[in-house]
Amino acid sequence: MGRFAPSPTGRMHLGNVYSALLSWLSVKSKGGEWLLRIEDIDPGRSRMEYAGLIMDDLEWLGLEWDGAPVFQSQRSDIYRHYFSMLEAQGLTYPCYCTRADLLASQAPHESDGRVVYPGTCRHLPPQPGKAAAVRLIVPDEEVAYEDGHYGLQRTNLALQVGDFIIRRKDGAWAYQLAVVVDDALMGVTEVVRGRDLLLSALQQMYVARCLGFESPMFIHLPLLLGASGLRLCKRDQGMDMAALRQCYSAPQLLGLLAFLAGILPKPEPVALSELVRLFSWDKVPLSDISVQGY
């Protein structure tokens, strides 16, 4: 059972569709089902009109999902139940730090602006009336998993991430809690997504362990890079689906994506049924892929 879980914070871009296509091909080549989950738990950024456009773009490409779409905004009571389980285990505590506090304490980790949380609030007494996020305590130990494309991944979460947020100060459920609960309850056995989430998989496996869930297999993809050499995002002009649908037919866009992913020897129109027949993870490169010139 696979899934595609976009956030409705803008129109999908080429990188989103590339991830959706390989997720769909991976599970369909095994005869499995592909679910659609709209990750709209961020009330400040999520828009229903974008969710509608996501579904329309997937249907235009022929990437049909199985069953009804699931909306995270409708599952708050479910997340609250599993959050309470973590609280009952003594694994959570309120955090009063601002992002500015964290950025001032140390340099961002690696190249993504991530800061390792130093545990500032772990032993502070509660401060009633003060807004607080809630963090999950991580152990000082090595964790590892075998990625389906990049092989063995291991880290010490205490050293590489620190205790991480599972509920935001504004009360919204954090991604790392919601995605674990949803994947488990929806029966997801395979997660395909960009390699920028390799470390996130280890966090999610830890949450799953705390809740008694079995983790899905993670298969991460090389990223599509724009002209700047950075990962494509929704701000990249000319790479969102509104522009792409003006320039390509669905078979043409599928052919381009299949070429970039190493499935086809050249970018030419192709049917999804043919891609299912041709698909193999052995063909997908490990290095990131430049889309400059397309």
Side-chain angles (χ1 to χ4, degrees):
M1 184 89 72
R3 53 85 159 165
F4 180 55
S7 298
T9 57
R11 193 75 181 260
M12 285 200 299
H13 58 71
L14 190 68
N16 300 134
V17 180
Y18 152 81
S19 182
L21 174 61
L22 267 66
S23 172
W24 190 91
L25 289 174
S26 181
V27 71
K28 292 300 180 180
S29 68
K30 304 181 184 82
E33 295 185 342
W34 192 67
L35 308 178
L36 177 63
R37 184 170 71 234
I38 303 298
E39 298 198 334
D40 57 345
I41 52 173
D42 187 335
R45 299 176 63 224
S46 297
R47 299 286 184 273
M48 278 302 296
E49 57 264 34
Y50 289 133
L53 287 170
I54 287 169
M55 289 186 276
D56 182 69
D57 288 335
L58 292 174
E59 289 176 332
W60 179 77
L61 286 163
L63 299 177
E64 297 182 357
W65 55 92
D66 296 288
V70 171
F71 290 81
Q72 286 188 329
S73 59
Q74 300 171 6
R75 297 169 64 81
S76 185
D77 288 344
I78 296 172
Y79 305 140
R80 184 175 294 106
H81 169 74
Y82 288 98
F83 174 81
S84 297
M85 289 178 61
L86 297 173
E87 281 189 315
Q89 295 177 61
L91 293 174
T92 65
Y93 62 89
C95 175
Y96 307 97
C97 298
T98 65
R99 180 162 178 79
D101 292 335
L102 300 178
L103 291 174
S105 68
Q106 61 186 114
H109 190 72
E110 296 178 353
S111 61
D112 59 3
R114 178 170 45 85
V115 173
V116 178
Y117 183 66
T120 307
C121 295
R122 186 190 279 204
H123 303 295
L124 288 181
Q127 300 179 35
K130 188 173 182 180
V134 178
R135 290 186 181 271
L136 181 68
I137 297 171
V138 300
D140 185 3
E141 63 183 41
E142 185 175 86
V143 290
Y145 76 99
E146 189 75 20
D147 183 77
H149 193 50
Y150 284 95
L152 182 64
Q153 305 293 314
R154 55 158 58 101
T155 196
N156 183 314
L157 289 176
L159 300 179
Q160 290 292 104
V161 179
D163 302 336
F164 55 88
I165 290 173
I166 55 171
R167 191 168 190 179
R168 300 186 340 190
K169 279 187 179 181
D170 62 3
W173 301 105
Y175 168 78
Q176 300 293 17
L177 174 65
V179 70
V180 171
V181 171
D182 286 340
D183 283 345
L185 298 186
M186 293 171 68
V188 172
T189 57
E190 177 181 290
V191 172
V192 175
R193 59 192 186 180
R195 66 157 188 84
D196 52 330
L197 293 172
L198 278 164
L199 179 59
S200 190
L202 288 157
Q203 294 173 261
Q204 289 159 25
M205 291 179 71
Y206 173 63
V207 175
R209 187 178 88 186
C210 293
L211 292 174
F213 293 140
E214 183 174 345
S215 292
M217 170 184 283
F218 290 98
I219 307 175
H220 288 85
L221 304 170
L223 304 178
L224 296 189
L225 306 180
S228 64
L230 300 176
R231 174 174 61 91
L232 287 180
C233 67
K234 292 174 182 176
R235 294 186 297 273
D236 283 301
Q237 297 280 331
M239 287 292 177
D240 74 5
M241 284 298 290
L244 291 169
R245 286 177 66 163
Q246 292 181 356
C247 299
Y248 298 91
S249 67
Q252 286 173 330
L253 186 55
L254 291 171
L256 171 61
L257 289 167
F259 167 70
L260 293 172
I263 303 168
L264 292 181
K266 57 183 179 180
E268 59 186 4
V270 67
L272 273 173
S273 57
E274 179 67 4
L275 289 181
V276 172
R277 186 183 69 82
L278 294 172
F279 179 77
S280 169
W281 280 110
D282 292 337
K283 297 178 180 179
V284 179
L286 294 171
S287 300
D288 292 341
I289 305 161
S290 174
V291 298
Q292 189 171 2
Y294 295 102

